[in-house]
Amino acid sequence: QVQLVESGGGLVQPGGSLRLSCAASGFTFSRYAMSWYRQAPGKERELVASITSDGGIRNYVDSVKGRFTISRANAKNTVYLQMNNLQPEDTAVYYCNTKSGSYNYWGQGTQVTVSS
């Protein structure tokens, strides 16, 4: 079955960096677009970044443009989110996502906390 496992979260100071990883299995990874979402306490889940199956097109929510970079290594079945110049507003649980038809697949999430 499809499995997505996030890692790389943690506690970081404002201005710091983290790189999140999502290891995928159970499907032909290179054929699917991938996304990162996040959910902060009391807020709805938000699409942060997405990447096409070949990595050719990448999109970001305005609040992270210029700071975050989504990438993928298809040979490793892994998608990454490089997060630079982190701010307290970036504090959230970050989730890896892919879609097949109308069905959404989610990882378990990884906590990112940016201290004030």
Side-chain angles (χ1 to χ4, degrees):
Q1 68 274 19
V2 171
Q3 188 171 18
L4 303 171
V5 180
E6 301 96 335
S7 62
L11 175 64
V12 66
Q13 295 178 331
S17 298
L18 287 172
R19 187 179 72 161
L20 306 183
S21 298
C22 172
S25 61
F27 64 103
T28 305
F29 179 77
S30 62
R31 297 186 184 271
Y32 287 82
M34 301 294 296
S35 299
W36 286 96
Y37 287 72
R38 67 187 180 187
Q39 188 164 25
K43 295 186 177 180
E44 294 185 351
R45 192 167 296 187
E46 173 189 38
L47 176 62
V48 177
S50 61
I51 187 167
T52 54
S53 59
D54 65 352
I57 302 174
R58 296 180 282 192
N59 290 298
Y60 304 91
V61 67
D62 285 346
S63 59
V64 310
K65 287 181 179 176
R67 300 189 297 121
F68 290 11
T69 302
I70 188 171
S71 62
R72 65 193 296 158
N74 283 351
K76 297 182 178 181
N77 285 3
T78 302
V79 62
Y80 304 96
L81 186 67
Q82 177 68 46
M83 306 186 296
N84 297 328
N85 192 24
L86 282 160
Q87 301 299 311
E89 297 76 39
D90 298 314
T91 295
V93 178
Y94 284 71
Y95 297 92
C96 185
N97 166 268
T98 194
K99 294 178 175 64
S100 180
S102 63
Y103 197 87
N104 279 277
Y105 294 93
W106 300 96
Q108 83 289 346
T110 185
Q111 176 71 50
V112 172
T113 302
V114 185
S115 67
S116 59

